[in-house]
Amino acid sequence: MNLQVRHSLEYQYNFPVVLEMHTLYLYPRSYPHQRLLEYNMFIDPQPSKIVKNIDVEGNVQHLIYFYNQPYSRLFVEASITVSSEPVNVFDFVFYPFETSKIPFLYDNRIYKYLIPYLDKTDATQQVEQFARQLAAKVDYATIPFLVEMSQYISQNFVYQHREYGNAYPPDETLRDRSGSCREYARLFMGACRSLGIAARFVSGYLYGNPQQAHELHAWVEVFLPGAGWRGFDPTEGKAVINNHISMGTSADYDQLAPVMGSFLGYTSSLLTTHVDIQLLQDK
């Protein structure tokens, strides 16, 4: 199927400001089952220079530079069309097979690359206890554990819409049994890492859920020996198939805002965003 995303962000300033360099994460990542068909970006005011880079974690970023003059607003809109085919995230063989049970150790050859995705800052005692309780229910089998945790969070936590601000710590999400998709993803990551599974945060879009149809979405990818990075969505309670469009992945939960930057001036700002995701009909 072909999916089209239109994502706009507008910053309005009470008094004119000078815009410094901004970093944009508004370009989709490529996957074997998903490819970019069309991409357009519109920025007002017109930048003096746009640099397209690959960041340290393999995401496409745009660095936007502006003329040294005052502006009263910044408007950014990305229009994206992707072809997304169904993918079976379970169609693989664990290699070595011993990693089909947790906890396991990664081969030294790849472990050094996964160190940032194994950081246990969020793997508190409460988070590890939560993970071990769920793992015990499925006899510490790796895939059943990931599925069980996705379903458990989706079915037993109350979803809260919260578009701005940092994701709350996993201990708070566990205590309150509620959170946004970013909180769910942060908890899922912490739980995986507490049992030695490399996990990374994913920011992007989700088609087919009215609750997520007009905002950014967040989920998690875990690195499984023999499979590589595979996606799980604790908000949906499912493995990622082909309804998700990834705009960026990171070892951290707070590094993938679609627009990041600063300005010079004394003023307040108002941000208005809109996301529209549509299924394009075959011609």
Side-chain angles (χ1 to χ4, degrees), residues 35-239:
R35 59 188 176 90
L36 180 64
L37 298 179
E38 186 176 354
Y39 184 85
N40 292 287
M41 177 180 286
F42 174 76
I43 302 172
D44 183 33
Q46 184 177 353
S48 61
K49 189 175 184 61
I50 299 177
V51 181
K52 186 186 293 185
N53 291 337
I54 301 293
D55 75 5
V56 69
E57 295 188 90
N59 306 300
V60 174
Q61 62 177 196
H62 291 83
L63 304 183
I64 311 299
Y65 298 86
F66 297 92
Y67 295 100
N68 187 25
Q69 60 188 58
Y71 299 106
S72 296
R73 77 158 193 160
L74 169 61
F75 179 81
V76 179
E77 183 177 76
S79 179
I80 303 157
T81 303
V82 300
S83 172
S84 187
E85 301 300 326
V87 59
N88 181 359
V89 299
F90 308 118
D91 185 21
F92 71 94
V93 176
F94 278 103
Y95 188 83
F97 188 72
E98 291 75 17
T99 56
S100 62
K101 288 278 192 173
I102 49 177
F104 59 78
L105 296 177
Y106 291 100
D107 184 271
N108 287 337
R109 182 181 58 84
I110 61 174
Y111 172 78
K112 60 183 178 181
Y113 302 113
L114 295 175
I115 290 175
Y117 308 101
L118 290 164
D119 178 83
K120 292 193 175 184
T121 301
D122 279 347
T124 63
Q125 182 178 353
Q126 291 82 358
V127 169
E128 182 174 352
Q129 183 179 14
F130 167 72
R132 290 189 176 277
Q133 288 174 346
L134 294 179
K137 291 176 61 176
V138 295
D139 195 28
Y140 285 87
T142 304
I143 288 295
F145 163 68
L146 296 169
V147 173
E148 173 70 20
M149 184 161 58
S150 299
Q151 294 177 346
Y152 185 90
I153 294 174
S154 176
Q155 296 170 6
N156 294 278
F157 287 49
V158 177
Y159 185 83
Q160 291 187 338
H161 174 81
R162 200 170 68 84
E163 194 171 354
Y164 306 113
N166 284 335
Y168 293 147
D171 282 355
E172 293 187 27
T173 304
L174 271 178
R175 180 195 65 203
D176 299 337
R177 297 291 183 182
S178 67
S180 67
C181 58
R182 290 178 299 138
E183 272 92 45
Y184 290 175
R186 188 176 175 184
L187 170 59
F188 194 98
M189 286 170 58
C192 286
R193 292 177 180 183
S194 74
L195 298 183
I197 301 175
R200 65 186 184 184
F201 185 90
V202 189
S203 178
Y205 309 104
L206 169 63
Y207 170 75
N209 183 337
Q211 185 172 255
Q212 305 292 335
H214 299 293
E215 59 188 53
L216 271 175
H217 188 50
W219 62 98
V220 177
E221 290 178 349
V222 298
F223 192 89
L224 303 175
W229 293 105
R230 301 281 167 138
F232 291 86
D233 187 341
T235 302
E236 291 283 283
K238 302 175 182 177

